[in-house]
Amino acid sequence: MAVKEPVAGYAVAVVREDGRWRCSALKPDALTSLDAAITELAKIRSTGAVFGLLAVEDEFFIIVRPSPRGPSLLLSDAAAALDYDIAADVLDLLRADPPDEDDESIWPEGDLDILADLGMPGPDLEVIAGEVDLYPDEQLQMIAQRCGFGDEFTALLDEM
C-alpha cells in the first residue's frame, strides 16, 4: 500500500532569471501530489528556467520542469513507485511501468537531460541518481552545486 500523508522531505522551486538563481519553498502538499507540484511551479512567472526539486523522505528525489508541452520529469528511483503515490504518478505521466516487486535494482526513470541546458548533462545526472550511498538531499545538493545554485539552495534549506 502506498504511503499516505504526512511525508517527510522538502520541495523547492528553482528559478534562473537574468543570470541569477532564486530558490523558494513549495507548499508541503507538493511532496504528496505531483499535480500540486506541477501546478505550483506553473504559476511561477519567469523568462528563464523554472523547475522543482523534491526530496521525498530519505528514499528518492523528483525533478519537475513545467513547459507548455507538459512537464519534464525525472524520478531518481523507479522502485519508489511501489510505495509512494507521487512516484507512481510520475511513472503514470511518463507512461512507464513500475518495476517488479522482486527487482532490487535502482534506476532513474524519465528525462535524464532535464537540466542539461543548465550544466547537468544526462550521464552525470544518471551517475548522481545511481549513488545508493547518498541520501536524496545529498544528491540534490550535488545537482545544485553543479548547476550553479548551490549557495542559494543551501541557504533556503537552512531556513526551512
Side-chain angles (χ1 to χ4, degrees):
M1 190 80 214
V3 172
K4 299 295 180 198
E5 290 187 61
V7 174
Y10 59 81
V12 173
V14 182
V15 178
R16 178 161 175 87
E17 192 166 48
D18 298 327
R20 298 184 58 161
W21 289 101
R22 186 182 59 193
C23 297
S24 59
L26 294 172
K27 294 177 184 169
D29 66 338
L31 286 176
T32 56
S33 168
L34 183 60
D35 286 339
I38 293 168
T39 300
E40 200 168 337
L41 288 166
K43 290 179 184 177
I44 297 173
R45 300 288 172 229
S46 173
T47 57
V50 175
F51 56 95
L53 301 176
L54 288 64
V56 181
E57 303 209 343
D58 288 335
E59 300 298 323
F60 62 97
F61 69 82
I62 299 170
I63 301 175
V64 181
R65 192 164 182 183
S67 78
R69 299 178 316 275
S72 292
L73 301 163
L74 178 69
L75 173 62
S76 67
D77 180 9
L82 298 173
D83 297 316
Y84 293 87
D85 289 340
I86 192 167
D89 291 344
V90 170
L91 291 188
D92 285 345
L93 266 177
L94 294 171
R95 295 187 176 123
D97 293 326
D100 189 21
E101 286 191 32
D102 298 330
D103 191 350
E104 303 262 333
S105 303
I106 294 177
W107 75 85
E109 189 69 62
D111 183 5
L112 286 167
D113 288 320
I114 193 167
L115 301 176
D117 61 323
L118 303 172
M120 177 57 66
D124 294 356
L125 188 52
E126 185 173 19
V127 168
I128 291 172
E131 281 292 334
V132 295
D133 294 334
L134 297 176
Y135 288 108
D137 60 323
E138 295 170 317
Q139 292 169 312
L140 290 177
Q141 184 64 48
M142 290 175 70
I143 293 166
Q145 287 297 108
R146 179 71 184 267
C147 290
F149 61 93
D151 293 341
E152 293 83 353
F153 187 69
T154 301
L156 176 64
L157 295 183
D158 289 345
E159 290 175 18
M160 293 172 64

